[in-house]
Amino acid sequence: MKKLLLALTLTLAATSLSAAQVVEAIVLRVGDRIITSTQYAKRLRDAYTEIETTAAPDQVAAKKAEFRKNLVDELISELLIKDRADRIGVNVTEAEIREATARLKEQYGITTDQQFEESLQKSGLTRAEMESRLRDTLISNKVFARELRNREELNDRELRERYDREKEHYRLPERAHLREIVIIRPDNPAAAEKAGQKADDVAKQARSGGDFAKLAQTFSDSGSKDKGGDLGDVARGELLPDLDKAVFNSAAGTVIGPLPTKSGWHIIKVESRLPSEVPAFESLKEKIRKDASDDAFQRDYKAYIDRLRKDAFIQIDEKNIPNV
């Protein structure tokens, strides 16, 4: 059975309040469970903060709009699942919460309670809030395990058919394996001039046959210096436009730069060029299996929520939805 990832616990909604506890405007009611305007606003702010932290700048506005558009439906689904859990007698013990917390710590390499508390603080959560959200996730997993049908995994023939049908979906873009040396531009004009000269000198050494990895370890200001400037494979379009154009117009072995940017100078070595290609079936088989399982779960989940909605009392008060 496909289960929700434990790592998603920090994105779930805050625990809903009973009607007797409400002292403010109600945005949403599902049965005897509600979401208040404060809870809705907190969910939205938390999501906006996450989007601002993780999304590309040109995608932030669209992702925020998409999240806001879907939020009411997501909250309804979460309350429906909680209500269903109550009806079929699903609950979570304190021991299960402790076990899940231990798995969460292990997943993120957290070894002490102090590290855990610091991680929660950075996420804007108290331990009680984290445990409440973790409880919601475990309850959801139990409900799905009981109520959504198990699916047999696809065999190799079925996986091959999906690969042949959807292989363009798995196509890799054109890539280049790169190393970099970055020289930071100081604010002081005189120091910046010296830094520019340093970038020129290092680039000349690299073009004259100097060991690029050792030059990076010695002169680079980038965090990649400890790996000899190794950036791994970079796809076309991932770099700044000027860097991207220079890299993908250069042959393997070429040393590019120094290319000036607002932050400094970049010296790039193109270790190898990799064409756009579809990986072989065997290398994709487990990913295809997972994708098929994910797709089946999403179809079953949507149908399940639709069934719950038909039998539920749901009330949305749009005038109480806060503008955040």
Side-chain angles (χ1 to χ4, degrees), residues 4 17 49 59 81 97 107-108 114-115 161 178 216 235 240-241 263 265 280 291 303 321:
L4 294 181
L17 303 176
T49 299
Q59 297 177 354
I81 292 167
I97 293 292
Q107 179 181 350
Y108 288 98
Q114 181 179 348
Q115 289 177 335
E161 288 175 354
L178 305 177
L240 294 171
S263 61
W265 294 266
D291 288 348
I321 295 177

Side-chain angles (χ1 to χ4, degrees), residues 8 43 78 117 169 199 208 265-266 289 298:
L8 295 180
R43 176 69 172 265
E78 291 167 10
E117 294 297 335
H169 172 72
S208 300
W265 294 266
H266 293 254
R289 192 190 308 278
Q298 291 301 325

Side-chain angles (χ1 to χ4, degrees), residues 136-206:
D136 288 345
T137 297
L138 295 176
I139 286 175
S140 296
N141 288 345
K142 286 189 175 185
V143 171
F144 297 151
R146 182 180 297 190
E147 302 240 296
L148 296 189
R149 63 195 178 105
N150 287 317
R151 285 181 173 270
E152 293 184 0
E153 290 189 345
L154 300 182
N155 59 36
D156 280 6
R157 179 184 61 78
E158 293 168 321
L159 291 173
R160 169 67 76 170
E161 288 175 354
R162 180 168 175 136
Y163 171 81
D164 290 338
R165 198 169 57 243
E166 302 178 6
K167 61 171 58 178
E168 284 303 313
H169 172 72
Y170 298 102
R171 176 175 291 279
L172 296 174
E174 185 180 0
R175 292 143 291 145
H177 189 140
L178 305 177
R179 290 184 185 272
E180 69 169 357
I181 297 172
V182 178
I183 307 298
I184 296 295
R185 183 192 303 274
D187 293 331
N188 179 278
E193 185 177 352
K194 289 183 179 180
Q197 183 59 53
K198 173 183 174 182
D200 288 336
D201 292 342
V202 173
K204 288 178 182 177
Q205 292 183 55

Side-chain angles (χ1 to χ4, degrees), residues 21-188:
Q21 293 174 293
V22 177
V23 292
E24 61 175 303
I26 296 173
V27 171
L28 176 65
R29 186 188 300 273
V30 177
D32 63 354
R33 296 177 182 274
I34 64 170
I35 294 293
T36 68
S37 59
T38 297
Q39 290 173 310
Y40 181 97
K42 184 178 189 308
R43 176 69 172 265
L44 204 56
R45 282 195 298 268
D46 289 348
Y48 282 1
T49 299
E50 178 71 14
I51 290 169
E52 289 166 358
T53 302
T54 59
D58 61 342
Q59 297 177 354
V60 168
K63 286 183 177 293
K64 284 183 176 180
E66 182 71 12
F67 183 88
R68 187 183 184 96
K69 175 184 174 183
N70 296 327
L71 180 54
V72 168
D73 281 339
E74 288 185 13
L75 292 171
I76 289 173
S77 298
E78 291 167 10
L79 296 188
L80 285 170
I81 292 167
K82 290 180 183 179
D83 184 67
R84 184 60 181 166
D86 287 346
R87 292 175 183 272
I88 63 177
V90 168
N91 55 55
V92 173
T93 66
E94 291 304 316
E96 289 174 315
I97 293 292
R98 288 194 296 272
E99 290 173 5
T101 301
R103 290 196 299 272
L104 195 62
K105 289 179 179 178
E106 183 178 358
Q107 179 181 350
Y108 288 98
I110 296 173
T111 57
T112 68
D113 285 340
Q114 181 179 348
Q115 289 177 335
F116 191 52
E117 294 297 335
E118 290 173 354
S119 177
L120 290 175
Q121 188 175 11
K122 290 178 182 178
S123 300
L125 291 170
T126 65
R127 192 180 187 98
E129 288 172 333
M130 183 279 298
E131 290 182 351
S132 175
R133 299 180 186 194
L134 187 55
R135 185 183 302 275
D136 288 345
T137 297
L138 295 176
I139 286 175
S140 296
N141 288 345
K142 286 189 175 185
V143 171
F144 297 151
R146 182 180 297 190
E147 302 240 296
L148 296 189
R149 63 195 178 105
N150 287 317
R151 285 181 173 270
E152 293 184 0
E153 290 189 345
L154 300 182
N155 59 36
D156 280 6
R157 179 184 61 78
E158 293 168 321
L159 291 173
R160 169 67 76 170
E161 288 175 354
R162 180 168 175 136
Y163 171 81
D164 290 338
R165 198 169 57 243
E166 302 178 6
K167 61 171 58 178
E168 284 303 313
H169 172 72
Y170 298 102
R171 176 175 291 279
L172 296 174
E174 185 180 0
R175 292 143 291 145
H177 189 140
L178 305 177
R179 290 184 185 272
E180 69 169 357
I181 297 172
V182 178
I183 307 298
I184 296 295
R185 183 192 303 274
D187 293 331
N188 179 278

